[in-house]
Amino acid sequence: MSPDKLRLDKWLWQARFFKTRTLAAKQVGGGNVRVNGERTLKPAHGIAVGDVLSFAQGRQARVVRIVHLGTRRGPASEAQELYEDLAPPEPRQPPPERVGERPTKKDRRALDALRAAEDGDF
């Protein structure tokens, strides 16, 4: 591979999108990563500066443009300089408001007994 290209799985790991390079390779091998809109199945696919990657990370869809290739897996601040995030930020939803107080231990035991009776577990 030429010096102006880098393996896709290695870049995803260096940019800290995946905790291990193996996880990054599994995502690519599973067909879950697109490079410039085209699905790729090879973790060794060569990527360059300017390429656009699309993939799922957890429950979030990520679309990033490669700005730098990087030479190592450094701290998060260094990793964030490797890409430009193109996906619009998802609005944060406030946590649901609690209805009433937390159940006591006695309440939980009563619920467990009720569920067990419904399931036929006596």
Side-chain angles (χ1 to χ4, degrees):
M1 210 170 299
S2 65
D4 57 339
K5 290 199 175 243
L6 187 67
R7 286 177 60 110
L8 176 57
D9 62 336
K10 189 172 183 178
W11 188 88
L12 288 169
W13 170 72
Q14 286 179 350
R16 293 188 168 266
F17 288 112
F18 297 100
K19 196 169 188 173
T20 65
R21 192 164 159 188
T22 305
L23 287 174
K26 284 182 182 177
Q27 282 292 318
V28 176
N32 300 325
V33 179
R34 294 180 181 270
V35 179
N36 297 324
E38 294 183 22
R39 194 164 134 194
T40 182
L41 297 172
K42 293 173 31 177
H45 182 85
I47 56 167
V49 173
D51 286 347
V52 176
L53 306 179
S54 308
F55 57 94
Q57 183 184 25
R59 294 182 179 184
Q60 187 178 12
R62 303 295 303 256
V63 179
V64 297
R65 177 178 291 123
I66 299 172
V67 178
H68 300 288
L69 292 181
T71 57
R72 67 184 186 120
R73 180 179 166 95
S77 58
E78 189 177 303
Q80 290 172 349
E81 294 174 1
L82 298 178
Y83 62 91
E84 174 188 356
D85 199 352
L86 301 176
E90 293 184 14
R92 287 208 165 253
Q93 295 180 357
E97 293 187 24
R98 188 176 290 279
V99 179
E101 297 178 5
R102 282 184 68 171
T104 63
K105 192 169 189 175
K106 182 179 179 182
D107 295 336
R108 286 195 311 266
R109 285 183 181 146
L111 282 171
D112 290 343
L114 181 65
R115 289 184 183 130
E118 287 177 354
D119 293 338
D121 299 337
F122 293 101

